[in-house]
Amino acid sequence: MTPTKNDLTGKAALITGGTMGIGLACGLALGGAGASVYLTNRWGSADEGEVMDAFARAGAPVPVILEADIAHAGDTNKVMARIAEQHDALEVFVSNVCVVQPTAGIESYNRRAMNKSLEMSAWPLVSYTKAAHKAMGSYPRYVVGISSDGPDVYYERYEYVALAKTVMEVLGRYMSAHLADEPVNVNMVRTRNVLTQSCLTI
């Protein structure tokens, strides 16, 4: 069989927050193209049986589900070490997790919540990309940041999400420039506003 442009058979794909919502949809699409998919979740809240069933219905290889705190460097390194056990490189990295504290007007703004939102929702684009290089000697072939239209559209209680997505997009733009001589494609993908369980108090 002649390989197709979208044939990812045997190649590793990592999606943070990949057990539900947009992350799961990304995992299913990549798995449908043959990728060996790794999905992270922090709280162990995923119904692994449902995730496995979804991959089976899609005709995709069985995914690997890993618990990892997106803001914990030790967890990040463990995820990359686990992938490196089976693969020489990470083909696709999708930075999907967004964990923020909803706001209730300017009086609710505080620096700690802002900093934690950036740490958990923007910085992983960089930290996971660097960790892949450290573990496998190369950057992911494709780095994808899941953004939203929040930076340009007003949504009530959405300030920290919009802020984190804006910062992530800027980081992605500059990463792309810094990695111009590497075989890496860095892209930001904007979705519409999607309410998830990750919009909670941190």
Side-chain angles (χ1 to χ4, degrees):
M1 177 183 295
T2 303
T4 65
K5 182 178 181 180
N6 296 320
D7 185 6
L8 298 176
T9 301
K11 296 181 179 180
L14 169 65
I15 303 94
T16 59
T19 55
M20 61 182 67
I22 293 172
L24 178 58
C26 291
L28 290 169
L30 292 165
S36 298
V37 175
Y38 295 80
L39 311 171
T40 72
N41 71 96
R42 179 184 176 190
W43 300 281
S45 59
D47 185 323
E48 294 193 12
E50 289 185 2
V51 173
M52 297 298 181
D53 287 346
F55 272 75
R57 290 193 299 272
V62 176
V64 176
I65 300 175
L66 303 170
E67 286 194 21
D69 184 336
I70 196 73
H72 193 281
D75 284 4
T76 301
N77 292 333
K78 287 179 182 177
V79 167
M80 294 304 173
R82 175 68 176 81
I83 296 172
E85 289 176 1
Q86 301 294 325
H87 302 274
D88 294 331
L90 182 58
E91 183 75 1
V92 181
F93 163 52
V94 179
S95 186
N96 170 63
V97 168
C98 185
V99 181
V100 298
Q101 176 175 311
T103 59
I106 190 170
E107 294 304 321
S108 70
Y109 290 2
N110 69 81
R111 185 169 58 184
R112 179 184 178 276
M114 179 185 72
N115 289 341
K116 288 297 291 184
S117 297
L118 293 175
E119 178 187 18
M120 301 183 77
S121 306
W123 184 245
L125 180 78
V126 176
S127 61
Y128 269 65
T129 299
K130 291 172 65 176
H133 186 273
K134 180 179 178 181
M136 288 165 268
S138 62
Y139 295 106
R141 182 72 177 88
Y142 298 97
V143 176
V144 181
I146 301 298
S147 187
S148 77
D149 60 359
D152 296 330
V153 179
Y154 175 82
Y155 294 111
E156 188 176 359
R157 299 167 60 85
Y158 205 71
E159 288 97 319
Y160 291 141
V161 179
L163 175 64
K165 297 303 187 183
T166 300
V167 171
M168 184 179 67
E169 288 184 6
V170 171
L171 289 171
R173 187 175 300 118
Y174 278 82
M175 284 171 59
S176 181
H178 290 307
L179 297 174
D181 293 332
E182 300 281 348
V184 182
N185 289 281
V186 182
N187 294 281
M188 300 294 109
V189 177
R190 282 191 171 189
T191 71
R192 288 173 295 199
N193 180 19
V194 178
L195 296 177
T196 71
Q197 292 181 352
S198 295
C199 287
L200 43 78
T201 300
I202 55 175

